[in-house]
Amino acid sequence: MQGNARGCALAYKMVAERDNEKYSFARESRLLIVAKAKVWASEGWRVVITDQDGKAYAPPEFDQLLAA
């Protein structure tokens, strides 16, 4: 897992893919990563969020991640 500028491991990673493009983001806050993922998914990107335990969440499961 990558660290941020302060050297702390980031808990959530989002990967968005469309056509030949791929972007990834890491955040400590699940609220922020889910909000970003929902926006990207609504714009036609294939989005997956992975938590600190390695569990992957697809768009239909994003609300489960918020409830955790």
Side-chain angles (χ1 to χ4, degrees), residues 11-65:
Y12 302 96
K13 181 177 179 184
M14 179 192 108
V15 176
E17 297 182 73
R18 181 171 67 183
D19 302 325
N20 293 325
E21 297 178 89
K22 183 176 182 177
Y23 295 94
S24 63
F25 303 91
R27 297 285 182 269
E28 291 180 35
S29 167
R30 67 177 172 238
L31 177 63
L32 292 177
I33 204 74
V34 168
K36 181 179 279 292
K38 285 183 174 186
V39 169
W40 283 66
S42 73
E43 294 177 357
W45 292 81
R46 291 180 308 277
V47 182
V48 174
I49 296 174
T50 306
D51 67 12
Q52 66 272 18
D53 297 325
K55 183 172 179 356
Y57 297 84
E61 303 167 310
F62 289 167
D63 289 332
Q64 291 175 13
L65 184 58

